[in-house]
Amino acid sequence: MGNGIATGSTDIAALGARAMAMLDTLGAISDAPDNLTRLYLSPAHRRAAHQVRDWMEAAGCEAHIDAAGNVVGRYGPAEGPVLYCGSHIDTVIDAGRFDGSLGVVAAILAVEALAGEGRVLPFAIEILAFGDEENVRFPTSLSSTQAIAGGYDPRWLDVVDGDGVSLAQALREFGGDPDAVTGLARDPAQALGYLELHIEQGPVLERADLPVGVVTAIAAAWRADCVLRGQAGHAGTVPMGLRRDALSGAAEMIAAIEGIGAQHEGGVATVGRIAAVPGAVNVIPGEVRFSIDARAPGDAMLATMLAEIDAACKSIAERRGLAFTQAPFMRAPATPMAEPLQQAFAAAAHAIAGDAPLIPSGAGHDAVAMARLCPVGMLFVRCAGGISHNPAESITQADAGCAVAVLIEAIRRIAADQAAARG
Ligand code: HGY
Ligand code: MN
Ligand code: MN
């Protein structure tokens, strides 16, 4: 598999080399001097968006950057049925080069290959490079994807980042248009489906020694910002029994949250961000702010976990005389992948890679938002050690080529099915 043998008119080795070169280019576009950090609407996001737009045009698309900061490349008629394909180009802090970007690069290479075949498709293909999938800068939930999918929440325009910059202001500075984002919603009647290729961010494919897998569903997810208030005091004079130490209380809550995640099969719970004030070595912390990210394979299990987390935190706060508030800012339902798109990816993967296991996704993806618009399907690509959200994130050139070839073949099969259905 993957030794340069062309599949259809697809040269897997060449696709892999092209993909890795493009990912190296994107991986060098960062807001940070010494790591890859590219947050929504940042200067690096704008540079990366311009690069992606240029690639889309070179591949044969009409391309532009829309009011929400998405890069859109359309191949085929401006009207009529459309197949969407893409992922995100924003990253977490100190990120890997492949999370998100691989799906955008793969979509561009797929359109280039299909255009090169002179293939007349029974639909247009619209490549989408979303900008706010990681939701690191603003407390939103796939906002620029929801603009396309028709689920944009106008209240997002008023949320602010850590520097107090509102999303609306950041959009204007980026060259977007906050007044136009809700008008980006696509017509569900013309939306045939959405395909996303993404690194697995888990160990299944590496353990199975297989390059690609077909995603079955995406986990339900919830996120909140929490504030715990006690009383700041002198670290040397306040007896232990009289303290209302917000950081010790948070520590107990964090251990409880971790335990609840572990108790539920397939459930996960993470406190990824914490800050204690005033943050002096000899002052009992009076206030702590921390985040919670909880996920589960199904909505019912997530609801149970959230109830347990809420009860545990309130009980700890009451016993310690602390004031606890929780501000949820993201809730994503468990999202099943559409059967026909799973089958298209599976048939393409078996033709090219020999086998492709079915894998549930614990990570969230743009497909969660796009599922509001149309049927969605995802293909996972093996990544070393399952590592992601980490600069050690990596894939092989051979797997990259194989995955792009599978995406191209899946689109060919969807086109054949569409043509047959029309008779
Ligand atoms: O957090 C996630 O699951 C995704 O990487 N944004
Ligand atoms: Mn990610
Ligand atoms: Mn991602």
Side-chain angles (χ1 to χ4, degrees), residues 88 99 133-134 201 389:
H88 60 96
D99 177 1
E133 194 277 343
E134 298 292 3
Q201 301 174 305
H389 285 191

Side-chain angles (χ1 to χ4, degrees), residues 53 167 180:
R53 180 195 56 198
L167 200 163

Side-chain angles (χ1 to χ4, degrees), residues 87-88 90 99-100 133-134 196 198-199 201 363-366 389:
S87 191
H88 60 96
D90 65 316
D99 177 1
E133 194 277 343
E134 298 292 3
E196 182 170 358
H198 200 286
I199 53 170
Q201 301 174 305
H365 298 285
D366 293 299
H389 285 191

Side-chain angles (χ1 to χ4, degrees), residues 96-401:
R97 288 178 292 147
F98 304 95
D99 177 1
S101 295
L102 175 61
V104 171
V105 163
I108 292 167
L109 291 172
V111 165
E112 182 187 75
L114 292 163
E117 291 172 2
R119 189 179 285 265
V120 179
L121 298 171
F123 44 73
I125 295 178
E126 199 164 89
I127 306 173
L128 298 169
F130 301 112
D132 191 25
E133 194 277 343
E134 298 292 3
N135 305 134
V136 169
R137 180 177 179 187
F138 296 103
T140 53
S141 175
L142 304 173
S143 70
S144 75
T145 321
Q146 288 290 8
I148 298 283
Y152 199 86
D153 183 340
R155 291 174 297 178
W156 286 333
L157 293 169
D158 300 324
V159 299
V160 296
D161 66 9
D163 298 324
V165 177
S166 72
L167 200 163
Q169 184 183 340
L171 269 177
R172 288 189 198 93
E173 290 167 5
F174 183 84
D177 178 0
D179 299 327
V181 292
T182 51
L184 296 174
R186 298 306 197 263
D187 177 2
Q190 297 296 344
L192 293 175
Y194 169 73
L195 302 180
E196 182 170 358
L197 188 152
H198 200 286
I199 53 170
E200 179 197 343
Q201 301 174 305
V204 171
L205 289 171
E206 189 172 60
R207 285 184 189 159
D209 193 21
L210 289 169
V212 295
V214 178
V215 179
T216 55
I218 298 172
W222 173 90
R223 291 177 190 163
D225 280 325
C226 302
V227 181
L228 199 52
R229 289 190 176 88
Q231 185 171 46
H234 194 300
T237 59
V238 180
M240 295 307 285
L242 297 180
R243 295 180 176 206
R244 289 194 291 122
D245 182 334
L247 189 49
S248 298
E252 195 176 344
M253 289 181 183
I254 292 166
I257 290 164
E258 181 190 43
I260 290 165
Q263 279 157 16
H264 293 267
E265 180 64 34
V268 288
T270 311
V271 174
R273 186 176 58 220
I274 187 166
V277 291
V281 65
N282 58 353
V283 179
I284 301 166
E287 179 182 296
V288 170
R289 294 175 180 268
F290 64 91
S291 63
I292 303 177
D293 174 312
R295 312 187 197 197
D299 295 311
M301 181 190 288
L302 182 62
T304 303
M305 288 170 62
L306 297 184
E308 291 172 358
I309 288 171
D310 188 56
C313 290
K314 283 178 176 167
S315 163
I316 292 164
E318 187 177 348
R319 174 164 42 82
R320 287 173 168 264
L322 302 172
F324 174 69
T325 59
Q326 198 183 74
F329 64 86
M330 180 270 207
R331 182 73 184 257
T335 306
M337 299 294 108
E339 272 303 323
L341 299 183
Q342 287 192 51
Q343 287 160 14
F345 270 135
H350 287 109
I352 292 172
D355 188 9
L358 298 175
I359 308 177
S361 175
H365 298 285
D366 293 299
V368 170
M370 288 299 282
R372 177 195 180 87
L373 175 70
C374 59
V376 297
M378 286 191 73
L379 183 76
F380 271 168
V381 186
R382 171 169 46 186
C383 59
I387 295 170
S388 183
H389 285 191
N390 180 318
E393 191 179 277
S394 76
I395 66 170
T396 67
Q397 181 169 303
D399 284 357

